[in-house]
Structure formats: C-alpha cells, structure tokens
Amino acid sequence: MNAESGFEIKPVYRPGDVSPDASIGEPGEFPYTRGVYPTMYTKRPWTMRQYAGFGTAAESNARYHQLLAAGTMGLSVAFDLPTQMGYDSDEPIAHGEVGKVGVAIDSIDDMRRLFHEIPLDKVSTSMTINAPGSVLLLLYQLVAEEQGVPGTALQGTIQNDILKEYIARGTYIFPPKPSLRLVADTFAYCRKEIPKWNTISISGYHMAEAGASPAQEIAFTLANGMEYVRAALAAGLAVDDFAPRLSFFFVARTTLLEEIAKFRAARRMWARVMRDEFGAQDPKSLMLRFHTQTAGVQLTAQQPEVNLVRVAIQALGAVAGGTQSLHTNAYDEAIALPTEKSARLALRTQQVLAFESGLTGTVDPFAGSYAIEALTDEVEKEATALIERVFSYGSAVDAIEQGFQKQEIETSAYRIANEIDSGERVVVGVNRFAAETEERYEPLRVDPAIEAAQVARLAALRADRDSVAVETALADLAKAAGGNENVLPLMKEALRLRATVGEVCHTLRGVWGVYHPVERF
C-alpha cells in the first residue's frame, strides 16, 4: 500500500531499510528526533487542551469552567468568523455568522466575560486567531492586568500564522508584507511584555484539513516558519531572542505509523534549519515544540460513534510522536458543535492514554522500529524536496503568490478523494461497512438571538465610552502603521479605551489595504 505522502509502505521492514546514518540520537538532544525533552511524559503528561468557544462570551465561559472542572489543563479558544476576519458583530458582513463557529469577541468587555473568574496566572490559553491575533492577545493582557496578573505571568499561544491563511484557509485581511510586519512586531512586543507567551503557532493543521499529505503538511509549515524567522531577522531581532517562543500546530490522522514518523521527521528537520541556516545557538531555538489536534476532516457524519475510535487512534499517534499539547475532537463534530457530553468524552480519551495505557512510562516508545525509522526517513526526504521547490520561487510568500502550495495540496486532496471513491482507501461507515439506517442525533444549536444581543451590547459600549479618546487613539495607531513604529502599544491603548476589534482592524485596513488573491486558471 502507499502512504498518504505518496511513497510505498513495505509489507515488511528490515535493518537494511533504515539509513545507516539515521539521526535518531537521544531524547532531548540534537536533532531531537526522539523528543525535545529528555524525560518527555515520564515526569508529567502533555498539556490536555479542549478547543471551545461558541455563542456569547458568557456561554463560552461556562463551558471553560466545565472543562477545567473535568481536568483540562489548558484552554483553547475558538473565535467566530467575524472576529477572525476583524469585523464587529454589528457590521452587515457579519450578519448570520455571529457566534456560529466560535465565540464573538468585539471589545474588552467581551474578553472580560469570556475569562470571568478564570485565574489567568494559573491557566495556559491558546487562541486560534490569525490576522487579528495581536488584537486579541492585547485584550487578553488587558483583562489579566485587571485581575492583577502581570504580562510576565501569562502563558499561552496565539496562532498568528497568516501565511497558511493564504494557502489553505482564507481568513486573511492584509497583504503578506504588512502581515509579516505585524507578526514581527508581535514577536518584539511579547519578548518585552509577555515573555512566556508563544508568539506564533505555525500551523500545518489547516493545510492538512484542506488535503495536504503528511509530507506536504510539514514541508509547507516549516517553509512558512523559515519565512517568519527571516521577517523577524529583517526587523532587527536576534534569532535567539525570539526563536525559543516559536511553536507549531499539526494534525494527527488515523494513519498511525506515518503520523508518528511525520512528527519525528519534523523535529529533526527544524533543528537542522535553525542551526545550519539561521545560526541559532540556544538549544531552545532548535526545538520544534508543537500542539496537535486530531483530524476533523477524517470524522464522519455517518455512524458518528465510530469517530470515538478514530480520535483515540489519532491521539495515540500524537502522543507516540511526542506532542507537547493535544486537543481531541468530539465524535459529533462532523455534525455540529460538540455537546457537553461529547466534549467530556474527548477529554477522557486523552486521560485514558495518559493514565491507563502505559505510554507515559518511556520516551519515544517506537524508536528503533525498522518501520518507524524507515518511514521517518521517507517523510523527511519527501518534505525536504518540497521545501526546496518552495524556495525555488524565491521565498514562501513568492510561492504562495504563484499558487504553488495551494495547487500541490489540491492535487493531493484529489488523489485521496479518488482513492476513497474507488474503495482503494477504506473509510468505515462510508465506502465500506455502511449502516442501513442511522440513529437520530440531536446536535447542539446556537441560538440566533445571540447576534441581536451582541449588537445591543456593542451599541451600549459605543454610547458609554469616551469616543473622542478612542478616535484619537485610533488616529495614533494609523500614524504608527504608516511608519516603522511597533504598532502593538498603540493598539493596546485603543483597546483599553474600549475601541472594538473591528475598529482597530479597519484602521489598519485603511493604511495597509486588504489582500485580494490573483485568480489562476
């Protein structure tokens, strides 16, 4: 059979299939094939996150309290589409989307509700937000300061990976160059103000969900990572000042062995790039630390309970591959937002792996397997060749603007779809072992009245705040955006005065413009 990355998986692997100079090494030592820490999970398990956010900030806050009570160790915030695109809930373009795929956050008032009675010095928070990532981070910092928590105590991650939006997802706002400037400004701001924060989560997950193979996922993700490093260096930052806070975000599929190999290959590829190309000296700059989410695209609406098995296998691959944190999807996510019960079951899956499976008793338990080591070499070979093709265009941005990564992903997605349609690749319950009838399922539904309530709150905010002060702060932000000044301190002041997410983003749109991809036929 063939791996999803395209190469052949042999029926039997033998010692000769493993490269004699394979860089296996020791856990916690360069090139980190076996893990970034010597003890990995033997001292404590990975961080168990659950991605949640829907409707209003108050509803999402209640879900966070439930997850924390159930044993979640970190929060992961989903934002609705208007927030992701930098629009307020009362803008016409937001109509019908408020609170649908995540929580609506328009201002500091909403951020206060979202984290009400959650001690921000005790939790680690990951926020899936990209183009307006710096805006949401500053709102989080402001709420923490109101709790008496300094920026030096905050821990978490903003996704902040704009390049993959141009490739696979589409929630970009600004053109690539000012977007990269905003990323570099965030690196510099956090080093000074929020030093424990992971300033970016360079993401292959969304490319994988769009159809990227495992080799494509890590190749295009690492190429984007290299582009961010270059942007930060061009902005005058020293590599070891920001590289230790870079983090990554990958998918975990049901193809267990290839996924374990993918994670191991990605670690050693990044270590070599940072040492050999960028001259990083700090060992933390060489360590590819990553969050994993199980593969939503592989969940099926048919026989949804089977997704419980899929998620368990996917989570097993992430853990055996050495992830630093993990989100397990709920079995009903192919149908609707997860219910409280299904979200709890997803968390319990991680807890069974951590406390019942024995996986945490040893580091990199698959190391030395002929199959795993050979597959690690194969994935690395395929991914390295793809990175070279990306940079043959000049840069990752140049390749994006030429549509290279998008075309490659679409070709891979088409190949897998054909394999499923032909029955060559089995999807249980879909093209084999289908049920004659399906049990009725009652999904979680978002109340459409949420939008009206959110709009009313925005009207009250605008009536109550000092509008002149807000306008002055936004004008100062626009002036900074037109020059070379770091824009984050001015953003923070505008948000503190209760400027909205949409107003801040529109101010930057007015200076930087918006990105319109070139259609290629």
Side-chain angles (χ1 to χ4, degrees), residues 213-291:
S213 70
Q216 289 175 336
E217 178 193 356
I218 63 171
F220 297 152
T221 303
L222 298 189
N224 287 349
M226 293 164 72
E227 193 77 10
Y228 291 125
V229 172
R230 290 173 180 171
L233 293 173
L237 301 177
V239 65
D240 286 322
D241 285 346
F242 66 85
R245 302 317 306 178
L246 302 180
S247 66
F248 291 79
F249 176 24
F250 295 118
V251 78
R253 302 169 180 80
T254 53
T255 45
L256 180 68
L257 300 183
E258 187 177 3
E259 290 299 285
I260 296 171
K262 176 192 76 178
F263 296 129
R264 300 170 88 250
R267 269 195 299 270
R268 73 186 185 202
M269 289 173 68
W270 185 249
R272 289 172 179 152
V273 163
M274 293 305 294
R275 184 192 68 177
D276 300 341
E277 182 163 342
F278 296 114
Q281 301 293 317
D282 186 342
K284 292 182 179 178
S285 297
L286 313 180
M287 296 177 184
L288 185 144
R289 298 168 300 111
F290 63 95
H291 170 71

Side-chain angles (χ1 to χ4, degrees), residues 1-2 5 32 52 66 103 132 150 180 197 221 227 280 284-285 313 322 325 356 367 404 434 437 467 471 511:
M1 66 175 290
N2 285 336
S5 296
Y32 305 105
Q66 292 165 359
V103 62
L180 286 173
W197 198 267
T221 303
E227 193 77 10
K284 292 182 179 178
S285 297
I313 293 171
S325 68
E356 294 187 26
F404 170 68
T437 60
S467 297
E471 289 173 7
V511 179

Side-chain angles (χ1 to χ4, degrees), residues 119-329:
L120 298 186
D121 57 342
K122 300 291 194 301
V123 300
S124 170
T125 302
S126 174
M127 294 190 277
T128 304
I129 194 74
N130 294 287
S134 55
V135 183
L136 276 298
L137 173 60
L138 292 170
L139 288 173
Y140 186 85
Q141 183 188 13
L142 285 165
V143 170
E145 288 174 353
E146 291 177 352
Q147 291 186 3
V149 178
T152 53
L154 296 179
Q155 297 187 64
T157 305
I158 46 171
Q159 194 163 103
N160 201 29
D161 175 8
I162 198 62
L163 293 181
K164 64 94 174 52
E165 298 294 326
Y166 303 117
I167 295 172
R169 192 161 176 270
T171 63
Y172 44 72
I173 299 175
F174 317 114
K177 286 184 179 178
S179 293
L180 286 173
R181 174 206 168 161
L182 191 53
V183 170
D185 279 359
T186 304
F187 289 176
Y189 179 86
C190 286
R191 180 173 183 267
K192 181 180 178 183
E193 301 287 338
I194 318 176
K196 295 180 182 178
W197 198 267
N198 296 322
T199 50
I200 193 168
S201 178
I202 306 163
S203 175
Y205 181 88
H206 305 90
M207 291 186 274
E209 292 284 282
S213 70
Q216 289 175 336
E217 178 193 356
I218 63 171
F220 297 152
T221 303
L222 298 189
N224 287 349
M226 293 164 72
E227 193 77 10
Y228 291 125
V229 172
R230 290 173 180 171
L233 293 173
L237 301 177
V239 65
D240 286 322
D241 285 346
F242 66 85
R245 302 317 306 178
L246 302 180
S247 66
F248 291 79
F249 176 24
F250 295 118
V251 78
R253 302 169 180 80
T254 53
T255 45
L256 180 68
L257 300 183
E258 187 177 3
E259 290 299 285
I260 296 171
K262 176 192 76 178
F263 296 129
R264 300 170 88 250
R267 269 195 299 270
R268 73 186 185 202
M269 289 173 68
W270 185 249
R272 289 172 179 152
V273 163
M274 293 305 294
R275 184 192 68 177
D276 300 341
E277 182 163 342
F278 296 114
Q281 301 293 317
D282 186 342
K284 292 182 179 178
S285 297
L286 313 180
M287 296 177 184
L288 185 144
R289 298 168 300 111
F290 63 95
H291 170 71
T292 309
Q293 182 172 337
T294 56
V297 73
Q298 291 187 320
L299 303 185
T300 64
Q302 301 93 330
Q303 301 182 43
E305 293 85 355
V306 178
N307 293 330
L308 286 164
V309 181
R310 292 189 178 101
V311 170
I313 293 171
Q314 293 163 358
L316 172 62
V319 171
T323 192
Q324 274 60 70
S325 68
L326 177 62
H327 163 83
T328 35
N329 290 328

Side-chain angles (χ1 to χ4, degrees), residues 346-391:
L347 175 61
R348 295 290 183 253
T349 301
Q350 294 199 50
Q351 291 166 336
V352 168
L353 287 174
F355 302 110
E356 294 187 26
S357 71
L359 272 175
T360 58
T362 189
V363 178
D364 191 22
F366 285 78
S369 157
Y370 302 145
I372 288 296
E373 299 302 348
L375 290 172
T376 301
D377 292 343
E378 287 281 4
V379 173
E380 180 179 9
K381 178 182 175 183
E382 294 285 334
T384 299
L386 277 168
I387 290 175
E388 290 173 356
R389 291 179 65 192
V390 168
F391 287 108

